[in-house]
């Protein structure tokens, strides 16, 4: 697979297409290895979507009960929901960072082979960033679907009508998906950058 991206004098469009094909083949040949980062990102996205949606529901209920709650109680509940949202985001980002770092370090020898066959560092870097982007997209979509199903069940148990419970929150879905993609790319950036800077010899003899 390395030969198709080691050629020089390729146009930008041809290079992008070859990077996409290379990444697609890698994911197909290493499905088990790909499941862990996808599942981790999906879990984080699920939590973020659920927390954002349920927080909005709690705030709407608080607005209806504004006459029965003291200002201190309302402020404490609002602050608590914000804290929960931030904690959820932090936990999801940390889990994704650990998994993406492990995913990159487990493939250092592959990077050494790419270097030895003449693939440029910028192309190798683009390969891994493209893979992180795909992890974010697939994991984000899976997490949104699961989060939507869980939130709908919780709302129906809380007495919400079936039609309203099944209505997805597109805004929260876009936020959760965007965060999934951004976090997967950002957390993969540093280990990819450090690994690509190794020489071919160092990468080939690297032990993870």
């Amino acid at each position: 697979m390395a030969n198709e991206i080691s050629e020089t004098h390729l146009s930008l469009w041809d290079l992008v297409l070859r990077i996409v094909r290379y990444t697609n083949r890698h994911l197909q040949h290493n499905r088990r290895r790909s499941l862990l980062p996808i599942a981790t990102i999906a879990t984080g996205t699920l939590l973020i979507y659920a927390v954002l949606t349920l927080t909005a529901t709690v705030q709407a209920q608080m607005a209806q009960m504004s006459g029965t709650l003291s200002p201190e109680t309302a402020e404490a509940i609002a602050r608590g929901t914000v804290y929960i949202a931030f904690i959820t985001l932090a936990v999801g980002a940390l889990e994704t960072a650990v998994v993406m770092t492990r995913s990159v370090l487990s493939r250092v020898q592959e990077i050494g082979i790419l270097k030895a066959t003449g693939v440029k560092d910028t192309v190798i870097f683009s390969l891994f960033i493209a893979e992180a982007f795909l992890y974010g997209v697939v994991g984000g979509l899976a997490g949104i679907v699961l989060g939507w199903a869980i939130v709908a069940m919780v709302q129906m148990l809380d007495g919400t009508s079936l039609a309203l419970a099944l209505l997805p929150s597109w805004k929260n879905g876009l936020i959760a998906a965007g965060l999934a993609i951004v976090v997967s790319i950002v957390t993969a950036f540093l280990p990819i950058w450090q690994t690509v800077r190794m020489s071919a010899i160092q990468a080939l003899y690297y032990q993870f």
Side-chain angles (χ1 to χ4, degrees), residues 178-207:
L179 287 173
I181 295 172
V182 170
V183 169
S184 63
I185 292 175
V186 169
T187 55
F189 184 90
L190 184 59
I192 293 171
W193 177 253
Q194 292 178 335
T195 305
V196 167
R197 294 175 64 186
M198 291 182 180
S199 67
I201 300 298
Q202 288 175 319
L204 285 171
Y205 286 95
Y206 181 85
Q207 296 294 327

Side-chain angles (χ1 to χ4, degrees), residues 13-31:
W13 178 246
D14 288 337
L15 181 59
V16 170
L17 289 178
R18 294 191 181 199
I19 288 175
V20 171
R21 285 200 297 267
Y22 181 93
T23 304
N24 181 52
R25 289 179 186 176
H26 169 76
L27 295 178
Q28 288 181 350
H29 293 159
N30 299 274
R31 292 179 182 177

